[in-house]
Each structure stands twice: as structure tokens, then as C-alpha cells.
């Protein structure tokens, strides 16, 4: 069912809350998030999710924050499945290009290839995978959005380029961790 | 917004030219290349011998090479790298090391590549111990500030605080840690160097600021993964 009843979600929350603290740490959260092929979410995506939904900045996810995060992930899963046209369980170059375009980004082919290369966790040894799993897809989309927002705060005239200082640049990159 | 920061690579000084570390200040010539600076105050000799005999290193390599492939994957490499408190290196630092030493770009580390990586880590360990003045096993704000200055970087206090906040894995719940472990220290130093190199490729006049396009910006960030 597309809608997860709150009781089931609560049950799942309690299951991964190993120390019974009533809140989830990054490690516990990682246990709650899995890919379509049952592999766990990579830690960077988990951390991204933590940063987005840990609204009181406590470093821990409460159940209400978790409920919001879960819905967000489920929405992304629907989106992922829509763009995974060949139902491979992975998003390849063309599927990614279509997705990013429909999100409103106009990114060059070389850049999209760089993205796949950097985020494809299966790619290096197996030639010809060149695709990304669900957790990486979410990470890519969230990262591109976040970086675009950062850039737009400087390029307010939307000229497509901006002048930034050295430390501004460092800060933009580090803030995106 | 600190408008005057646009003219400096750091926070002191009014002239960008002078401030962008008098060229050498970035420490490239002074030794912050891939290896920690030579002029770091020599620490007392660590308990373990500085030189790991090749056979011991080979033994260690074989130990973590669980599938006996003769090469190490990222996961196997992670088992070989540990912090002073016996915690394993975080995966991002492992991946950084993999990117740096996987010279044939195979995605796997051969024994020769591993030997180079090991030496690099040991040099960093010496450096870390030199800057960990209170021997806490962690580098706090002041120790980090000293380290980055000696590497030739002139970074503002707010930025250094941001770094600690983003890299301190123990910090969020335990108030007052505000420090980073060895693996994060290496990650910070390598990342700052890498980003500085990237920025310098655009800011060739060393003015302290550069004009970049949207996609150039995205590329710079993504390339640093």
C-alpha cells in the first residue's frame, strides 16, 4: 500500500531504535532505509536525510521527524520508479538525463556523465553499468538542488555565472556535506 | 555578508594580493603537497616503529584481503585503516584515499598502491600527533587553527567552526566536544587542499575571488567527492 499506516511506521521505528532511546541516531536510521535490491542506503544519503529532517538540530530523529522523512523517501521512490523505464532497479545515463530535465535542470552531457561516474557504486569494476541505485539517485537530486539554491543566492540576476570569494567557495562546498 | 572577505583568501589583511598567502603561504612550496609539512614540530617518537617492514605490511594486506583477490576493495581497505581509538576510518576518508592511490583507476588497491597509501597515512598520523597538543586523541578548534595556519591556509574562525561542526562525528549530542578524530582530520586537510587547488585553477591571478559559471561550480563540487 502506498500509504503506510502510522502504527506500522511506529513499529518500524521502534524496531530500528536499538537502544530504545525513542530517537534514531544516524546508524539506527541507516537500518531503516533500504534500496530496492535490499542493500542498505549508503551513509552519505542517510546523513543527508538526517540533515534535512533533524529540524531541532539535535543530531537525532524523533518519530514525527521520522514520519516526515519516510514520506519524503516514499515520494522519491515513486519518482525513481517512474524514471526507471526499463525497470532495471537502477537509473542509467538516459533515464537520469530525462529525470533532471523534468526537474527543471539543464545539465550538459559531460556533467551528467561525471555524476554517474561519481555516484555509481557498482561502476568501477563492472564496465558498462554506468547507473545509480535509489539511494544515490536521491543523493544526486538533493545535492544538485541544494547546490543550485546556493548558487542562485549569489547569482540573483540569474545570469548563469557569479563572482565568489575563495572562502565563500569553501563554505558552499563544506556546507553541503 | 562579509564583503571584505571577497578580497582576501583569509580574514586578515586588506590587500588581496598580499593576503593570498604570498604565494608560498598556500604551503605548496613549503611542503604541504601530498605530505604533511616537513617543518611541523617533530613529535616524540610514537610507540610503534615509524618504519613498517614490508613483510609486516604484506601480512596486514593479506589479512584484510578477505576474498584473496590480491587487491583491496573500498570495504576491505576500510578494515585496514583505524583511528587512534581503534574506531575504523569513516567510509568517506577511505574513499578519498582510494581515489588518491588507485593510480590505474581500477577501483581496487594493489599492494604497491597500498604501500604508498600506508606511508601517507603514517605521515599524517605523525602530523596529527604533533598538532594534538593536549594528547586527547582528537583535534579541537585551536589545534585545527594552528594546523591549518602551519599548512599555509588563512581561514576565518567562523569557517573553521563550520568545519568542526560538519566533521565532528561525536559532537552533536555531547556538548563541548567540538573536535575531530584522525580520519576526519585527514579528510579535512585533503579536502581543503583539493578545493584550494580547484579554486586556484580558476583564480590564476590569486585575487582571492573568481567568476564561475553554474555548471563549473557544480562540477567543482561533484569532482571533489
Amino acid at each position: 500500500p502506498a500509504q503506510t499506516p502510522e502504527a506500522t511506521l511506529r513499529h518500524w521505528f521502534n524496531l530500528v531504535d536499538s537502544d530504545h532511546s525513542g530517537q534514531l541516531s544516524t546508524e539506527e536510521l541507516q537500518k531503516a532505509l533500504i534500496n530496492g535490491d535490499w542493500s542498505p542506503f549508503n551513509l552519505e544519503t542517510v546523513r543527508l536525510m538526517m540533515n534535512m529532517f533533524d529540524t531541532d538540530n539535535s543530531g537525532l530523529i524523533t518519530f514525527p521527524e521520522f514520519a516526515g522523512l519516510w514520506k519524503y523517501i516514499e515520494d522519491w521512490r515513486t519518482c525513481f520508479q517512474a524514471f526507471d523505464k526499463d525497470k532495471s532497479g537502477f537509473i542509467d545515463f538516459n533515464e537520469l538525463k530525462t529525470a533532471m530535465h523534468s526537474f527543471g535542470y539543464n545539465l550538459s552531457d559531460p556533467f551528467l556523465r561525471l555524476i554517474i561516474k561519481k555516484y555509481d557504486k557498482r561502476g568501477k569494476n563492472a564496465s558498462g553499468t554506468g547507473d545509480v541505485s535509489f539511494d544515490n539517485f536521491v543523493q544526486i537530486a538533493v545535492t544538485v538542488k541544494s547546490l543550485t539554491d546556493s548558487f542562485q543566492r549569489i547569482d540573483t540576476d540569474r545570469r548563469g555565472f557569479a563572482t565568489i570569494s575563495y572562502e565563500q567557495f569553501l563554505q558552499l562546498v563544506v556546507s553541503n556535506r | 555578508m562579509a564583503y571584505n572577505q571577497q578580497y582576501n583568501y583569509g580574514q586578515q589583511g586588506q590587500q588581496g594580493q598580499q593576503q593570498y598567502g604570498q604565494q608560498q603561504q598556500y604551503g605548496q612550496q613549503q611542503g604541504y603537497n601530498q605530505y604533511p609539512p616537513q617543518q611541523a614540530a617533530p613529535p616524540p617518537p610514537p610507540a610503534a616503529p615509524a618504519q613498517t617492514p614490508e613483510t609486516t605490511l604484506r601480512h596486514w594486506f593479506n589479512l584484510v584481503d578477505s576474498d584473496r583477490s590480491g587487491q583491496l576493495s573500498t570495504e576491505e581497505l576500510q578494515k585496514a585503516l583505524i583511528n587512534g581509538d581503534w574506531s575504523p576510518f569513516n567510509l568517506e576518508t577511505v574513499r578519498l584515499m582510494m581515489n588518491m592511490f588507485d593510480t590505474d583507476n581500477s577501483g581496487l588497491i594493489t599492494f604497491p598502491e597500498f604501500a604508498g597509501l600506508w606511508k601517507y597515512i603514517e605521515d599524517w598520523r605523525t602530523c596529527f600527533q604533533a598538532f594534538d597538543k593536549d594528547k586527547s586523541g582528537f583535534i579541537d578548534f585551536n589545534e585545527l587553527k594552528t594546523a591549518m595556519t602551519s599548512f599555509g591556509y588563512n581561514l576565518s574562525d567562523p569557517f573553521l567552526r563550520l568545519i568542526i561542526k560538519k566533521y565532528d562525528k561525536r559532537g552533536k549530542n555531547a556538548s563541548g566536544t567540538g573536535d575531530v578524530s584522525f580520519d576526519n582530520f585527514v579528510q579535512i586537510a585533503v579536502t581543503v587542499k583539493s578545493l584550494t587547488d580547484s579554486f586556484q585553477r580558476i583564480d590564476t591571478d590569486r585575487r582571492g575571488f573568481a567568476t564561475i559559471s553554474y555548471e563549473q561550480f557544480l562540477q567543482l563540487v561533484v569532482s571533489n567527492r
Side-chain angles (χ1 to χ4, degrees):
Chain A
Q3 206 78 326
T4 315
E6 173 151 341
T8 311
L9 197 59
R10 181 87 228 187
H11 184 74
W12 186 227
F13 181 88
N14 292 340
L15 214 73
V16 296
D17 179 20
S18 351
D19 63 2
H20 300 321
S21 64
Q23 305 200 58
L24 302 184
S25 63
T26 311
E27 292 71 29
E28 290 171 332
L29 184 59
Q30 189 180 26
K31 287 183 298 185
L33 304 174
I34 50 173
N35 286 304
D37 63 355
W38 299 102
S39 62
F41 264 40
N42 70 63
L43 198 61
E44 289 174 39
T45 308
V46 177
R47 203 159 37 71
L48 247 186
M49 295 296 104
M50 180 70 93
N51 284 344
M52 290 176 69
F53 286 91
D54 176 24
T55 40
D56 62 3
N57 227 28
S58 62
L60 300 167
I61 294 283
T62 62
F63 181 70
E65 291 168 343
F66 179 72
L69 193 158
W70 191 262
K71 165 119 192 10
Y72 182 72
I73 296 281
E74 288 306 298
D75 288 348
W76 270 118
R77 215 181 285 278
T78 306
C79 180
F80 181 84
Q81 284 160 358
F83 286 106
D84 179 20
K85 292 266 178 323
D86 59 6
K87 301 299 162 214
S88 64
F90 295 85
I91 294 263
D92 62 28
F93 174 80
N94 287 314
E95 292 166 340
L96 182 66
K97 186 168 177 173
T98 307
M100 298 308 274
H101 196 79
S102 83
F103 296 160
Y105 298 107
N106 209 339
L107 303 168
S108 70
D109 282 10
F111 178 70
L112 289 168
R113 270 190 281 273
L114 174 70
I115 289 253
I116 299 260
K117 183 176 171 228
K118 285 287 182 177
Y119 285 85
D120 176 2
K121 54 191 175 194
R122 304 182 306 158
K124 262 198 159 161
N125 304 327
S127 65
T129 46
D131 54 19
V132 297
S133 52
F134 176 54
D135 51 356
N136 289 326
F137 175 72
V138 175
Q139 198 183 354
I140 290 167
V142 170
T143 301
V144 171
K145 179 185 193 308
S146 171
L147 291 176
T148 303
D149 287 352
S150 296
F151 193 82
Q152 283 180 349
R153 275 197 292 275
I154 307 171
D155 177 26
T156 47
D157 294 337
R158 299 284 183 276
R159 291 186 298 168
F161 54 91
T163 302
I164 59 174
S165 73
Y166 166 64
E167 224 185 73
Q168 223 173 348
F169 171 64
L170 290 184
Q171 195 167 347
L172 280 171
V173 177
V174 172
S175 300
N176 261 285
R177 269 180 63 76
Chain B
M1 160 137 88
Y3 191 75
N4 61 340
Q5 281 200 336
Q6 285 212 335
Y7 293 88
N8 302 323
Y9 265 80
Q11 97 198 110
Q12 294 101 350
Q14 262 56 39
Q15 290 89 21
Q17 197 87 317
Q18 196 171 38
Q19 186 46 45
Y20 186 97
Q22 303 114 324
Q23 306 291 349
Q24 295 92 299
Q25 256 272 305
Y26 262 75
Q28 315 275 13
Q29 282 74 28
Q30 281 183 339
Y32 185 62
N33 302 308
Q34 283 217 328
Y35 290 88
Q38 308 305 317
Q39 77 271 26
Q51 206 77 325
T52 315
E54 174 153 338
T55 44
T56 311
L57 196 60
R58 182 87 228 186
H59 184 73
W60 187 228
F61 181 89
N62 292 341
L63 215 73
V64 297
D65 178 20
S66 352
D67 64 1
R68 310 265 213 286
S69 63
Q71 305 200 60
L72 302 184
S73 62
T74 311
E75 292 71 30
E76 290 170 333
L77 184 60
Q78 190 180 25
K79 287 182 300 187
L81 304 174
I82 49 173
N83 285 304
D85 64 354
W86 301 101
S87 61
F89 262 41
N90 69 63
L91 200 61
E92 291 176 38
T93 309
V94 177
R95 200 159 39 73
L96 247 186
M97 296 295 105
M98 180 69 95
N99 284 345
M100 290 176 71
F101 285 91
D102 177 24
T103 40
D104 63 2
N105 226 29
S106 63
L108 299 167
I109 294 282
T110 62
F111 180 70
E113 289 168 343
F114 179 72
L117 193 158
W118 191 263
K119 166 111 188 20
Y120 182 73
I121 295 281
E122 287 306 298
D123 288 349
W124 269 120
R125 216 182 285 277
T126 306
C127 180
F128 180 85
Q129 284 161 357
F131 287 107
D132 179 20
K133 292 264 179 320
D134 61 6
K135 302 298 161 214
S136 63
F138 295 85
I139 294 264
D140 62 27
F141 175 81
N142 287 315
E143 291 165 341
L144 183 67
K145 187 168 177 171
T146 307
M148 298 308 271
T149 305
S150 86
F151 296 159
Y153 300 105
N154 211 335
L155 304 168
S156 70
D157 282 11
F159 178 70
L160 289 169
R161 270 190 281 273
L162 174 70
I163 290 254
I164 299 259
K165 182 174 170 228
K166 285 288 181 177
Y167 286 85
D168 176 2
K169 53 191 176 193
R170 304 183 306 158
K172 263 202 159 157
N173 305 325
S175 65
T177 46
D179 54 18
V180 296
S181 53
F182 175 55
D183 52 355
N184 288 327
F185 175 71
V186 175
Q187 199 182 354
I188 289 167
V190 170
T191 301
V192 171
K193 179 181 192 308
S194 171
L195 291 177
T196 302
D197 288 351
S198 297
F199 194 82
Q200 282 179 351
R201 275 197 290 274
I202 307 171
D203 177 26
T204 45
D205 294 339
R206 299 285 183 275
R207 289 185 300 168
F209 53 93
T211 302
I212 61 174
S213 72
Y214 166 63
E215 224 184 73
Q216 220 173 352
F217 171 64
L218 290 184
Q219 193 166 349
L220 279 171
V221 177
V222 172
S223 299
N224 262 286
R225 270 180 63 76

